[in-house]
Amino acid sequence: MPKDTFYNLPQDKQKRIIEAAIDEFAAHSYHKARVTAVAKNAGISIGSYYQYFEDKKDLFKYIIDQTATKKINYINQDIMRNEEDYSFFEILRETYLSGMKFAKENSRLVAIGNKLLNNKELQQEIWQDQKDKSTDYFKNLLLKGQNNGEIDQEIDVELIARLLTGLHHSLVDIIYKDNKIFPENFANEMEIIDKMLYFIKNGLKKHS
Amino acid sequence: MPKDTFYNLPQDKQKRIIEAAIDEFAAHSYHKARVTAVAKNAGISIGSYYQYFEDKKDLFKYIIDQTATKKINYINQDIMRNEEDYSFFEILRETYLSGMKFAKENSRLVAIGNKLLNNKELQQEIWQDQKDKSTDYFKNLLLKGQNNGEIDQEIDVELIARLLTGLHHSLVDIIYKDNKIFPENFANEMEIIDKMLYFIKNGLKKHS
Amino acid sequence: MPKDTFYNLPQDKQKRIIEAAIDEFAAHSYHKARVTAVAKNAGISIGSYYQYFEDKKDLFKYIIDQTATKKINYINQDIMRNEEDYSFFEILRETYLSGMKFAKENSRLVAIGNKLLNNKELQQEIWQDQKDKSTDYFKNLLLKGQNNGEIDQEIDVELIARLLTGLHHSLVDIIYKDNKIFPENFANEMEIIDKMLYFIKNGLKKHS
Amino acid sequence: MPKDTFYNLPQDKQKRIIEAAIDEFAAHSYHKARVTAVAKNAGISIGSYYQYFEDKKDLFKYIIDQTATKKINYINQDIMRNEEDYSFFEILRETYLSGMKFAKENSRLVAIGNKLLNNKELQQEIWQDQKDKSTDYFKNLLLKGQNNGEIDQEIDVELIARLLTGLHHSLVDIIYKDNKIFPENFANEMEIIDKMLYFIKNGLKKHS
DNA sequence: CATGAATGAGCCTTCATTCAT
DNA sequence: CATGAATGAAGGCTCATTCAT
């Protein structure tokens, strides 16, 4: 985590640095990203950089952390407060929708997140532990759904929770090809989500 | 692709080099992998390396290529020849099973493949084009299923094909946490696949 | 051209680097000259080198550039300001004299210049364009001489300008064999120049 | 010089190797020319190369040597045999003409020769001694001219011989810009030679 | 004589990090 | 706190030459 000197900085300077970092880490792999570029684009000297952050990893971790927090807030805000008023599939829909909206508005953060997601080596370098919070989130949702009688009792909650997480990633992948909305075949993102939910709800088997 | 000098090498030497390369590329990101380490671990000089391969990329591409071929052969063998004798879900089951078996026996290759799969920057460095063949595979399967009357006509084939690809990746991820089989909660991989297929078939909605 | 970091350096450090570079480029062909040797002899680290210059070529170009500027100033100073007071042959004599003086005091620069002058491949690597300014210089001189009535109207100005340039190179070659003054037969350089000018003025034909 | 094994080779194989060498040395600077390229283009193995030649330098020296011999023969043939029948300026003209013809028909050899001519370091690497034969040639010519009464007694024969050599180089340079004939302003090479000879004969001074 | 696999010193360049001012 | 000059390990790659077959 950043040093105190960083937090003591005026807000706009902090922001400039973070923006530069996001640009750099989104554009290049972790190892190819250069702290000199971050410093330069943030308009600070490399000496200052090392007075704010321990090293390269420190900044990267901070960005990842900020992203996670930001994303969680994104979803919570709307629905979570009145969770009990909604059905499982409504909440799932809202969750995916929020995730998509987040991705749309924060494509650089998604790019960074994916980089970490698919680099075990880096993950170990960044954290030792770190449990997957997404899966827990979906797991809770499923359990409530089963209690409500909305969700098939046959399913394995742990497993399906992980699959729903995976589908969430697929969704973002599908909709954002190289930071551009996926246009072919679909009227809009909403249509994709609804088709995906239909699949999640009913499966592929032909209804007799 | 490797130079002729590489193909002229005795089989066991070729193998030693490939093994060393797989080790290195599985253990580190592409940019962090060192050709000197490959050469050293293969027991060849750096000069020899460059007589076998154009450069670092050349070897990496070769590994990727070999992996793709190997994986395709894995699935085709058993069922694909008598495709018409099987139902959609049987083929899907075999596909996922093959994928898992492959991942189990080739965890390092899977690690390398994932690295490429989730690094657009690297993909463009390696190839210009490269279409996703997995999605096409699932798409064909789905279309046949619809013709057979096995698969719900309501679904969007293109979209679901991509989701099935995503689920395939999730499956591999779930079963192999850091190259170790996922033990908790499951008797064996077969159980995971069947539970996953149940979900794919029926969805999550409670059967009234 | 060098980066700002180079120009910000104390004069004596700049000079040390330039001196080391001139030594290296004078002693070896461009491709054989080593930037590590320059850095070492200048007493800087290789890292510093690359903070001052883009690359190897950058420094070489800079040396060439400095040489050209320095040489032009050499000639201009004395006569060029009062050009109209002198005859063609007087100016020519001064030009050759200046060139010789320059070569005498800057034998390493001449060595470097010649290397470039006679290596088209290198020239294209260094610049794309680059016109020969020497020829233009002599051409102007000749045209004025013809207008004054000093110079034979029969000659082809363009051609002779190139020959005078060539003779200039020959002169430097003659006088400096391996950076040592050519001693045999001649009392001094002045004598050589005057004999050469006599030839240029009168040609070889016996005066009847 | 090449080893006996080289001279024992069938003529056409020798020729293939020489051709490949000339191509390579003409296209690249001595240090950038690759013996592997020569071997490859000659259709021999690198192992064979080192059975024919001591090293890289050995081949280069041989090419230079062959070139010198070939060029000398070029000039001698026509005139030298009946030298006494011609005036100094006629012989000079023929010499320059031969030189040009040679350069025209052997542009690659000229390229190689120039490379050596302008790389003192390389010259020392190739030979220790090597006197300039061209200058001796012109010197003899001039002395005879003076004896005949054709040539001004005032001139310094040694110096002028060197200048005539330099002019010879200039001539080749002028006419062959990057192996292409210099077209602008001149009807043909003959015109250039005659204009140059006019200069050499009469000098630049306006005839009163 | 022919072959070509093997070698490794050596080059240019990058970039995270330190430290004196 | 800010600055940016200085550092040097490390990496990809080249190519003349050797040597075993």
Side-chain angles (χ1 to χ4, degrees):
Chain A
M1 288 298 104
K3 302 177 182 175
D4 287 342
T5 47
F6 176 71
Y7 293 112
N8 293 339
L9 250 33
Q11 283 296 323
D12 70 314
K13 194 166 193 176
Q14 285 189 33
K15 190 154 194 175
R16 251 168 39 223
I17 296 171
I18 297 306
E19 280 300 308
I22 292 175
D23 273 351
E24 183 70 10
F25 284 123
H28 306 101
S29 75
Y30 174 73
H31 286 296
K32 269 198 131 183
R34 291 153 302 145
V35 313
T36 50
V38 172
K40 191 177 176 186
N41 292 331
I44 62 170
S45 71
I46 189 65
S48 292
Y49 176 94
Y50 279 92
Q51 272 181 323
Y52 306 150
F53 304 97
E54 291 296 347
D55 49 22
K56 182 178 174 179
K57 205 191 324 188
D58 194 21
L59 173 55
F60 188 70
K61 279 163 84 167
Y62 181 65
I63 301 286
I64 293 290
D65 221 69
Q66 295 278 301
T67 302
T69 307
K70 195 172 177 183
K71 186 166 182 181
I72 285 169
N73 290 342
Y74 222 89
I75 302 182
N76 282 0
Q77 238 101 66
D78 305 338
I79 320 191
M80 294 301 100
R81 263 192 282 275
N82 311 302
E83 206 182 332
E84 55 282 351
D85 301 345
Y86 294 93
S87 76
F88 170 85
F89 290 107
E90 279 169 337
I91 295 179
L92 191 62
R93 189 174 187 280
E94 287 305 316
T95 301
Y96 282 155
L97 208 56
S98 299
M100 264 183 43
K101 242 176 77 190
F102 179 83
K104 195 172 178 175
E105 294 169 14
N106 302 278
S107 56
R108 292 174 310 161
L109 296 184
V110 172
I112 296 174
N114 281 340
K115 248 155 227 170
L116 184 63
L117 214 59
N118 303 112
N119 190 335
K120 291 251 159 74
E121 189 198 12
L122 189 56
Q123 281 175 42
Q124 286 169 326
E125 214 173 318
I126 301 291
W127 309 289
Q128 281 83 327
D129 45 10
Q130 188 71 185
K131 265 272 288 177
D132 186 358
K133 296 192 176 167
S134 311
T135 302
D136 284 347
Y137 172 82
F138 285 115
K139 195 173 162 185
N140 282 332
L141 230 54
L142 284 165
L143 287 173
K144 284 184 195 155
Q146 284 186 321
N147 287 343
N148 294 350
E150 291 183 86
I151 298 299
D152 189 350
Q153 299 288 342
E154 298 295 314
I155 66 161
D156 183 299
V157 171
E158 181 78 31
L159 175 67
I160 300 300
R162 295 201 57 167
L163 295 184
L164 291 180
T165 304
L167 287 173
H168 184 24
H169 290 314
S170 296
L171 181 66
V172 171
D173 263 10
I174 290 168
I175 296 191
Y176 300 97
K177 285 190 146 182
D178 305 313
N179 302 337
K180 297 214 167 43
I181 294 188
F182 183 67
E184 317 138 31
N185 305 326
F186 299 101
N188 51 45
E189 302 103 329
M190 219 69 97
E191 190 191 340
I192 298 183
I193 288 192
D194 286 333
K195 284 179 168 178
M196 179 164 148
L197 276 176
Y198 178 87
F199 159 63
I200 292 174
K201 225 187 270 188
N202 304 302
L204 299 180
K205 200 168 62 181
K206 179 166 191 172
H207 311 329
S208 62
Chain B
M1 290 295 103
K3 301 179 184 174
D4 286 343
T5 48
F6 176 71
Y7 294 112
N8 294 340
L9 251 32
Q11 284 295 325
D12 69 314
K13 192 166 196 174
Q14 285 188 34
K15 192 153 194 174
R16 251 171 40 227
I17 296 171
I18 296 305
E19 281 300 308
I22 292 175
D23 273 352
E24 183 71 10
F25 283 124
H28 307 100
S29 75
Y30 174 74
H31 285 295
K32 249 202 153 182
R34 292 151 303 144
V35 327
T36 52
V38 173
K40 192 176 179 184
N41 292 332
I44 62 171
S45 72
I46 190 65
S48 291
Y49 176 93
Y50 281 95
Q51 278 198 315
Y52 305 151
F53 305 98
E54 287 308 340
D55 49 22
K56 183 179 178 179
K57 194 170 15 177
D58 193 21
L59 174 53
F60 187 72
K61 278 164 85 165
Y62 180 65
I63 302 286
I64 293 290
D65 221 68
Q66 294 280 298
T67 302
T69 306
K70 198 172 177 183
K71 187 165 184 183
I72 285 169
N73 290 342
Y74 230 87
I75 304 183
N76 282 358
Q77 239 102 65
D78 307 336
I79 317 191
M80 293 301 98
R81 263 191 283 274
N82 310 302
E83 207 184 332
E84 52 286 350
D85 301 346
Y86 296 90
S87 76
F88 170 84
F89 290 106
E90 279 169 336
I91 295 179
L92 191 63
R93 188 174 188 280
E94 286 305 315
T95 300
Y96 283 155
L97 206 58
S98 300
M100 264 183 46
K101 240 177 77 191
F102 178 84
K104 194 172 178 176
E105 295 169 16
N106 302 278
S107 56
R108 292 174 311 162
L109 295 184
V110 172
I112 296 174
N114 281 339
K115 244 156 232 172
L116 185 63
L117 214 60
N118 303 113
N119 191 336
K120 290 253 161 69
E121 194 194 6
L122 187 55
Q123 281 176 42
Q124 284 169 326
E125 213 172 318
I126 302 293
W127 306 288
Q128 279 81 328
D129 45 7
Q130 190 70 184
K131 263 271 292 176
D132 185 1
K133 296 193 177 170
S134 311
T135 301
D136 284 346
Y137 173 81
F138 286 115
K139 195 174 162 185
N140 282 330
L141 232 55
L142 284 166
L143 288 172
K144 284 183 195 157
Q146 284 186 323
N147 287 342
N148 293 349
E150 293 183 85
I151 298 299
D152 188 348
Q153 300 289 344
E154 298 296 315
I155 67 161
D156 185 297
V157 171
E158 182 77 33
L159 175 67
I160 301 300
R162 295 198 59 165
L163 295 183
L164 290 180
T165 304
L167 287 173
H168 184 22
H169 290 314
S170 295
L171 181 65
V172 172
D173 263 11
I174 290 168
I175 297 190
Y176 300 98
K177 280 192 144 184
D178 304 315
N179 303 336
K180 296 212 171 43
I181 294 189
F182 184 64
E184 320 137 31
N185 306 326
F186 299 102
N188 52 44
E189 301 101 332
M190 218 71 94
E191 190 192 338
I192 298 183
I193 288 191
D194 286 331
K195 284 181 169 175
M196 179 163 146
L197 276 177
Y198 178 87
F199 158 61
I200 293 173
K201 224 187 271 188
N202 304 300
L204 299 181
K205 200 166 60 180
K206 179 167 191 173
H207 310 330
S208 59
Chain C
M1 290 297 103
K3 301 178 184 175
D4 286 344
T5 48
F6 176 72
Y7 294 112
N8 294 339
L9 250 35
Q11 284 295 325
D12 70 314
K13 193 167 197 175
Q14 285 188 32
K15 192 154 193 174
R16 250 169 43 225
I17 296 172
I18 296 306
E19 280 301 309
I22 292 175
D23 272 352
E24 184 70 10
F25 284 124
H28 307 100
S29 75
Y30 174 74
H31 286 294
K32 249 202 153 183
R34 292 151 302 144
V35 325
T36 52
V38 173
K40 192 176 177 184
N41 292 332
I44 63 171
S45 72
I46 190 64
S48 290
Y49 176 93
Y50 279 95
Q51 280 197 315
Y52 305 151
F53 305 97
E54 289 305 343
D55 50 22
K56 183 179 177 177
K57 194 169 16 176
D58 193 22
L59 174 54
F60 187 71
K61 278 164 85 166
Y62 181 64
I63 302 286
I64 294 290
D65 221 68
Q66 294 280 299
T67 302
T69 307
K70 197 171 176 183
K71 187 164 182 184
I72 285 170
N73 290 341
Y74 229 88
I75 303 182
N76 281 358
Q77 240 101 64
D78 306 336
I79 317 191
M80 293 300 101
R81 263 192 282 275
N82 311 301
E83 206 183 331
E84 54 283 352
D85 300 347
Y86 295 91
S87 76
F88 170 85
F89 290 106
E90 277 168 337
I91 295 178
L92 191 62
R93 188 173 188 282
E94 286 306 314
T95 300
Y96 283 155
L97 205 57
S98 301
M100 264 183 45
K101 237 175 82 191
F102 179 84
K104 193 172 179 176
E105 296 168 14
N106 302 278
S107 57
R108 293 174 310 161
L109 295 184
V110 172
I112 296 175
N114 281 340
K115 245 156 230 170
L116 184 64
L117 214 59
N118 301 113
N119 191 336
K120 289 253 160 69
E121 193 194 6
L122 187 56
Q123 280 176 42
Q124 284 169 326
E125 213 173 318
I126 301 293
W127 307 286
Q128 278 83 326
D129 43 8
Q130 189 71 185
K131 265 268 291 176
D132 185 1
K133 297 193 177 169
S134 311
T135 301
D136 284 347
Y137 172 82
F138 285 116
K139 195 173 162 185
N140 282 332
L141 232 55
L142 285 165
L143 287 172
K144 284 185 195 156
Q146 284 187 322
N147 288 342
N148 294 348
E150 293 183 85
I151 298 299
D152 188 349
Q153 300 287 346
E154 297 295 313
I155 66 162
D156 184 296
V157 170
E158 182 77 34
L159 174 68
I160 300 300
R162 294 200 58 165
L163 295 183
L164 291 180
T165 304
L167 287 174
H168 184 22
H169 291 314
S170 295
L171 180 65
V172 171
D173 264 10
I174 290 168
I175 297 191
Y176 301 95
K177 281 193 147 184
D178 306 313
N179 304 336
K180 298 213 169 44
I181 293 188
F182 184 66
E184 320 138 30
N185 305 326
F186 298 102
N188 52 44
E189 301 102 332
M190 218 70 96
E191 190 192 338
I192 297 182
I193 289 190
D194 286 332
K195 284 180 169 177
M196 179 164 147
L197 276 177
Y198 178 87
F199 159 61
I200 293 173
K201 226 187 270 188
N202 304 302
L204 299 180
K205 200 166 61 179
K206 179 167 190 173
H207 312 330
S208 60
Chain D
M1 288 297 103
K3 302 177 182 174
D4 287 343
T5 48
F6 176 70
Y7 294 111
N8 294 338
L9 251 32
Q11 284 295 324
D12 70 314
K13 194 166 193 175
Q14 286 188 32
K15 189 155 193 175
R16 252 170 36 226
I17 296 171
I18 296 307
E19 279 300 308
I22 292 175
D23 273 351
E24 183 70 11
F25 284 123
H28 307 100
S29 75
Y30 174 74
H31 285 294
K32 268 199 132 183
R34 290 152 304 145
V35 313
T36 53
V38 173
K40 190 177 177 187
N41 291 332
I44 64 170
S45 71
I46 188 67
S48 292
Y49 176 93
Y50 279 92
Q51 273 182 321
Y52 305 150
F53 304 96
E54 291 297 347
D55 50 21
K56 182 178 174 178
K57 205 192 320 189
D58 194 20
L59 173 55
F60 187 71
K61 279 163 83 166
Y62 181 65
I63 301 287
I64 293 290
D65 221 68
Q66 294 279 299
T67 302
T69 307
K70 196 172 177 183
K71 186 164 184 184
I72 285 169
N73 290 341
Y74 222 89
I75 302 183
N76 282 359
Q77 239 101 65
D78 305 337
I79 318 190
M80 295 301 99
R81 262 191 285 275
N82 311 301
E83 205 183 333
E84 55 282 351
D85 300 346
Y86 296 92
S87 76
F88 170 86
F89 290 107
E90 278 169 337
I91 295 179
L92 191 63
R93 188 173 188 279
E94 286 306 314
T95 301
Y96 283 156
L97 207 54
S98 301
M100 264 184 44
K101 241 176 78 189
F102 179 84
K104 195 172 178 175
E105 293 169 15
N106 302 277
S107 56
R108 291 174 312 162
L109 296 183
V110 172
I112 296 174
N114 281 340
K115 249 155 228 173
L116 184 64
L117 214 59
N118 303 114
N119 190 336
K120 290 250 159 74
E121 190 198 9
L122 189 56
Q123 281 176 41
Q124 285 168 326
E125 215 174 318
I126 301 293
W127 308 289
Q128 282 82 327
D129 45 10
Q130 188 70 187
K131 264 273 288 175
D132 187 357
K133 297 191 178 170
S134 312
T135 301
D136 283 348
Y137 172 82
F138 285 115
K139 195 173 162 185
N140 282 331
L141 231 53
L142 284 165
L143 287 173
K144 284 184 197 157
Q146 284 186 322
N147 287 343
N148 293 348
E150 291 184 86
I151 297 300
D152 189 347
Q153 299 288 346
E154 298 295 315
I155 66 162
D156 184 297
V157 170
E158 183 77 33
L159 173 68
I160 300 301
R162 295 201 59 167
L163 295 183
L164 290 180
T165 304
L167 287 173
H168 185 21
H169 291 314
S170 295
L171 180 66
V172 172
D173 263 11
I174 289 169
I175 296 191
Y176 300 97
K177 284 190 148 182
D178 306 313
N179 303 336
K180 296 212 170 45
I181 293 187
F182 183 65
E184 318 137 31
N185 305 326
F186 299 101
N188 51 45
E189 301 101 330
M190 217 71 94
E191 191 192 338
I192 297 182
I193 289 191
D194 286 333
K195 285 181 168 175
M196 179 163 147
L197 277 177
Y198 177 87
F199 160 61
I200 294 173
K201 224 186 270 188
N202 304 302
L204 299 181
K205 200 166 61 179
K206 179 165 192 175
H207 312 329
S208 61

